[in-house]
Amino acid sequence: TQAAAGVSGVIKMVMALQNGVVPRTLHVEEPSRHVDWTAGAVELVTENQSWPETGRARRAAVSSFGFSGTNAHVILESAPAQPPAPARDTPAAAVTAGVVPLPISAKSLPALADLEDRLRAYLTTAPETDLPAVASTLA
């Protein structure tokens, strides 16, 4: 349940970044007396608020504190605006992508290095390869 709570916090903030809404703080009736709310620009969000566009990327922090003392903290940033996705009938080769991650995994570091070398060699000898298709297959 602790991991699920942390993941749900990340999902909540990703949705907030996408929808431009700062969600209200849940399960808090009044601000903590352990925080100096008069210093800086920190405030408790008691109602959903619109998150205006400022010309900069939106950023949000998520912290999850587990019962066992495990703490997780992550900072999220909104993705840059992207052009609309191509229609489904557009061939994958016609899609121009900037960075295409090629996920690989193996049971050991030597096996991972070997797989990386083999994939690099293949892509070097076949530069016309459809990278989004390779990434999808690897995933």
Side-chain angles (χ1 to χ4, degrees), residues 48-70:
N48 290 352
Q49 299 178 9
S50 72
W51 197 337
E53 286 289 342
T54 62
R56 299 182 324 200
R58 293 181 177 130
R59 291 191 182 98
V62 178
S63 293
S64 181
F65 302 94
F67 184 72
S68 65
T70 303

Side-chain angles (χ1 to χ4, degrees), residues 15-40:
M15 300 288 295
L17 289 167
Q18 289 176 342
N19 295 314
V21 175
V22 178
R24 69 182 179 88
T25 303
L26 299 176
H27 313 294
V28 176
E29 302 302 321
E30 61 186 56
S32 169
R33 57 183 166 68
H34 300 290
V35 174
D36 181 3
W37 296 97
T38 62

Side-chain angles (χ1 to χ4, degrees), residues 4-5 9 14-16 20 23 30-31 44 65-66 78 83 93-94 111 120 124 129 132-133 137 139:
V14 167
M15 300 288 295
E30 61 186 56
L44 186 65
F65 302 94
S78 60
R120 182 180 292 111
T124 301
T129 301
T137 301

Side-chain angles (χ1 to χ4, degrees), residues 73-102:
H73 311 283
V74 64
I75 297 175
L76 304 170
E77 182 175 286
S78 60
Q82 296 185 351
R88 287 194 168 268
D89 59 349
T90 303
V95 178
T96 40
V99 176
V100 179
L102 302 173

